Amino acid sequence: MPNVEKGMTVGLFGGSFNPPHQGHVLVAEIALRRLQLDQLWWMVTPGNPLKNHDELAGLEERVQLSRDIAPGPRVKVTAFEAAHRLNYTSQTLDFVMARNPGVHFVWVMGADNLKHFHHWQNWRGITETVPIAVIDRPGSTLAYLSSKVAKTYSNARVDEDDAAVLPFMTAPAWTFIHGPRSSLSSSAIRRELRALSNPAS
């Protein structure tokens, strides 16, 4: 787990990053800037429990690719979840916050994840544990409004102009941050790689 000091603001950006790409970099950069974070932890997970792992690259490979692409020294690439056998976000948050009292954490995720967020284990617990920053992604700008979490916690939404104070707020609190968007996706990249390795005869 990266080193932090009391009073710091830290974004938690988790994913399988299979592979990492410039869309992930854009989310990280927007979060760092708009939330005015001291650090962003780029957390490479053992694997999303809701996804098929047949095409999941090895953890070490995904960590190295993430380090190669991570934008700047404030982004800390880590895979501590695997070492501590943390499989769910709710477990990770309990683990991180118990060991870092006085640090202001905020969960960072792309808007494409919001549609399925209510399928995550203990999603209400997550929302009520840490503030959440949802970063715009292609095709998700309007869809997020109809998501279950947005409807359930509509009264906890913070205007994106106040995003810099989000890490200091008591959960539930969340915001949707608009900004530049990348159409890249890990699944599309994997499809392209499969097509290159298995050209039509």
Side-chain angles (χ1 to χ4, degrees):
M1 193 183 302
N3 292 321
V4 287
E5 298 177 6
K6 288 185 178 181
M8 292 179 70
T9 56
V10 178
L12 302 174
F13 182 35
S16 54
F17 301 108
N18 185 43
H21 53 71
Q22 288 299 322
H24 296 133
V25 171
L26 194 56
V27 168
E29 290 176 335
I30 291 172
L32 282 167
R33 183 174 67 253
R34 297 291 297 276
L35 299 170
Q36 298 183 18
L37 301 173
D38 294 306
Q39 290 184 11
L40 182 136
W41 293 4
W42 182 303
M43 303 186 304
V44 185
T45 67
N48 186 332
L50 298 178
K51 293 183 179 180
N52 190 313
H53 290 186
D54 288 349
E55 295 185 331
L56 186 64
L59 183 61
E60 290 185 5
E61 177 183 348
R62 291 181 284 124
V63 167
Q64 187 57 55
L65 289 172
S66 295
R67 285 177 176 155
D68 291 342
I69 202 173
R74 285 189 293 162
V75 176
K76 312 296 183 181
V77 176
T78 176
F80 69 86
E81 288 173 298
H84 296 281
R85 299 183 179 181
L86 302 170
N87 295 313
Y88 297 97
T89 298
S90 57
Q91 296 174 332
T92 298
L93 291 177
D94 290 343
F95 183 87
V96 166
M97 297 180 76
R99 286 159 178 76
N100 297 281
V103 176
H104 305 287
F105 289 103
V106 56
W107 185 260
V108 176
M109 66 180 182
D112 49 330
N113 285 314
L114 200 60
K115 180 180 179 181
H116 305 289
F117 185 73
H118 63 284
H119 293 301
W120 293 22
Q121 186 187 70
N122 195 22
W123 67 276
R124 291 177 184 269
I126 295 169
T127 309
E128 295 172 11
T129 296
V130 66
I132 298 174
V134 182
I135 312 297
D136 202 2
R137 289 280 288 151
S140 304
T141 305
L142 298 178
Y144 82 93
L145 289 171
S146 62
S147 71
K148 187 169 183 177
V149 65
K151 290 181 176 180
T152 303
Y153 292 97
S154 59
N155 292 335
R157 185 180 176 189
V158 177
D159 190 284
E160 67 176 297
D161 290 340
D162 297 320
V165 302
L166 186 69
F168 301 98
M169 299 184 71
T170 300
W174 68 281
T175 193
F176 188 95
I177 299 178
H178 297 81
R181 294 172 295 171
S182 168
S183 61
L184 289 171
S185 75
S186 295
S187 57
I189 292 172
R190 292 196 303 274
R191 283 196 299 271
E192 292 177 9
L193 291 174
R194 281 200 306 272
L196 288 173
S197 61
N198 297 292
S201 56

